[in-house]
Amino acid sequence: MTTAPIGSGMESTVPSGQPTDTAPATVADQAPTTGERRLLTGLMANSVALYAVYGAVPAVLLPNLVADIDPGSKSTSLGVISAVGAFGAMLANPVAGALSDRTHGRFGRRAPWMAGGALLGGLSLIALGLGNNLLWIGVAWALAQISLNGLQAPLTAVIPDRTPEHRRGVFSSAAGLAQMLGATLGAAAAAGFAHALGLGFAAFGVLVVIGTAVYLLLNKEPAAPAPQGEVFRWKAFLAGFWVSPRKHPDFGWAFLGRFLLVLGYYCVASYQLYILDDYLGLTRDHANHLVPLLSLSMLPGLIVMIVVSGPWSDRVGRRKPFVIASSLGMAGALALPLVLHSVASMFGYAVLSGCAFGMYMAVDTALMTQVLPRPDAAAKDMGVLNVANALPQALAPAVAAVVIGALGGYSALFVAGILLTVLGALSILPIRTVR
């Protein structure tokens, strides 16, 4: 496939997935260009808005909506609805990425998919807030997941598309900071809509449209000419989604490591409201008031570790130690509520998980961009890797429901989270082309 030129003046000239040494200090320390600053601002604005939705809906708005409609079976119902959304998310992210790789026209490759995903996602969230039965909620959430993952796939291709490799730690840090700020502030803000859920869903639907508009206005894509001499074939298109772990083992290990870490974290995070309610015995109103406080308590360590870790990994030319350390740190955070069983331990978990996830988000994206099999199919391959992020987030409530129901309640859930995050750390060790 012939790739349309990006034309941003910031493209990487180093093929992704190749081992690299530390960039020279004179290059790594250069001030960002005006184009890089615009790209950074737009990327952060869009990521904050998108991840505010991911923080607000699964953690607060959707559990409250399900509990209002089906209080007797809220845990199981939430798990089923989340599993339905997971299937849509799993398909939408890599498909939208692959289609954006092949898109041509006056508005570029990525912008049409980002705009369409944001608009449809916003409308789906508004419809979700109007739901008064489980079927409506399940369908609306699935549509929202599909649309928002259609936005996320081309958005994540921005870093491999438009940033040089020696800057990717900084951009990965910025993206990670924006994502976690969005998720944390989204969950905190959503608690204020606990008794006005329809308004809350609508507010976050509008927010994601605004965030996407900021990125697109600041970072206009050049027209993408149609590739010459290439015939589209469905068989080849569909086969492209399979990345052989035998031919590209580092890609496979990176996918597995991300999948396990995210699943372990969100198995607990998606049930935070119910943990406070059922595991610690708080009233529902008390639990709703504590959720934003727990989210805000993550912020100091989160911000510090994101700001420090990405540039630090650029300077030392290493990614793996940061990702492994953050995964093990997450396991330690999950152990606190298991052992101590108190509100204080939940705050300790929040602080430590903020530090761990801050380091993880700062460096993981940079590592992922360096194991891509084909730089000319960056959005498709990043979309496949995003399945390891979106799918476990969507599956986590369903997996957690099974663990809680079949293996001994919320204590078993914390044990499962610890095991998954440790296995995620171990999965990074075999990667060879990234230090």
Side-chain angles (χ1 to χ4, degrees):
M1 172 182 173
T2 303
T3 306
I6 301 301
S8 67
M10 294 182 288
E11 298 88 345
S12 171
T13 57
V14 182
S16 297
Q18 298 300 315
T20 58
D21 296 323
T22 306
T26 54
V27 175
D29 293 340
Q30 286 178 356
T33 65
T34 300
E36 287 175 337
R37 286 194 293 270
R38 278 201 312 269
L39 185 64
L40 203 58
T41 301
L43 178 64
M44 292 189 71
N46 207 345
S47 296
V48 165
L50 178 60
Y51 279 81
V53 174
Y54 291 155
V57 176
V60 180
L61 297 181
L62 189 60
N64 273 290
L65 186 59
V66 171
D68 285 344
I69 293 173
D70 188 18
S73 303
K74 61 185 180 182
S75 176
T76 301
S77 297
L78 180 63
V80 171
I81 289 169
S82 299
V84 171
F87 183 74
M90 180 180 64
L91 294 179
N93 206 299
V95 169
L99 291 173
S100 75
D101 284 334
R102 293 172 174 267
T103 296
H104 56 86
R106 59 178 294 192
F107 297 109
R109 296 188 299 168
R110 314 300 186 197
W113 293 93
M114 294 174 69
L119 288 171
L120 292 176
L123 291 173
S124 299
L125 288 171
I126 293 171
L128 179 57
L130 299 175
N132 57 9
N133 63 72
L134 295 178
L135 177 60
W136 179 290
I137 293 170
V139 171
W141 180 231
L143 290 174
Q145 287 272 58
I146 290 169
S147 302
L148 294 175
N149 276 274
L151 159 65
Q152 185 178 350
L155 180 63
T156 55
V158 167
I159 293 179
D161 270 356
R162 304 178 71 166
T163 64
E165 198 162 286
H166 70 270
R167 289 283 197 204
R168 291 186 186 175
V170 171
F171 273 82
S172 181
S173 273
L177 177 61
Q179 290 166 15
M180 290 306 295
L181 278 175
T184 303
L185 296 176
F193 295 103
H195 298 292
L197 296 175
L199 180 60
F201 282 108
F204 284 99
V206 171
L207 178 64
V208 78
V209 173
I210 293 173
T212 305
V214 169
Y215 173 83
L216 294 176
L217 290 172
L218 287 177
N219 299 279
K220 182 180 179 181
E221 268 194 287
Q228 301 297 316
E230 181 179 337
V231 179
F232 180 84
R233 292 184 174 85
W234 276 106
K235 184 177 180 180
F237 176 76
L238 296 175
F241 292 107
W242 171 248
V243 180
S244 170
R246 180 170 296 179
K247 293 182 179 178
H248 306 284
D250 288 353
F251 186 92
W253 286 117
F255 182 99
L256 180 61
R258 175 183 277 189
F259 184 94
L260 292 171
L261 183 280
V262 174
L263 181 61
Y265 173 74
Y266 278 100
C267 272
V268 174
S270 61
Y271 271 70
Q272 188 169 252
L273 182 67
Y274 296 169
I275 288 169
L276 294 171
D277 188 354
D278 299 331
Y279 181 64
L280 298 183
L282 306 181
T283 66
R284 186 171 163 195
D285 281 344
H286 191 186
N288 271 312
H289 283 107
L290 278 183
V291 167
L293 296 178
L294 289 171
S295 297
L296 291 172
S297 69
M298 296 177 64
L299 284 180
L302 177 74
I303 293 171
V304 169
M305 295 309 296
I306 285 181
V307 170
V308 169
S309 301
W312 187 7
S313 76
D314 278 345
R315 287 180 177 276
V316 301
R318 293 180 180 273
R319 314 293 189 198
K320 288 168 57 176
F322 293 89
V323 177
I324 292 169
S326 62
S327 300
L328 295 177
M330 183 61 66
L334 291 168
L336 282 178
L338 172 66
V339 174
L340 299 179
H341 195 102
S342 66
V343 172
S345 69
M346 286 297 294
F347 277 97
Y349 149 77
V351 171
L352 291 179
S353 64
C355 293
F357 224 130
M359 179 180 288
Y360 181 81
M361 294 301 295
V363 183
D364 175 66
T365 299
L367 185 148
M368 296 296 168
T369 65
Q370 292 177 240
V371 298
L372 300 182
R374 291 178 52 193
D376 65 335
K380 185 267 292 180
D381 291 332
M382 288 297 286
V384 173
L385 285 171
N386 279 335
V387 171
N389 186 40
L391 182 59
Q393 287 186 52
L395 284 178
V399 173
V402 172
V403 171
I404 293 167
L407 298 178
Y410 291 96
S411 294
L413 181 63
F414 285 114
V415 172
I418 292 167
L419 291 175
L420 288 167
T421 51
V422 169
L423 289 172
L426 295 176
S427 299
I428 301 300
L429 290 172
I431 294 176
R432 302 181 64 182
T433 55
V434 182
R435 296 169 63 194

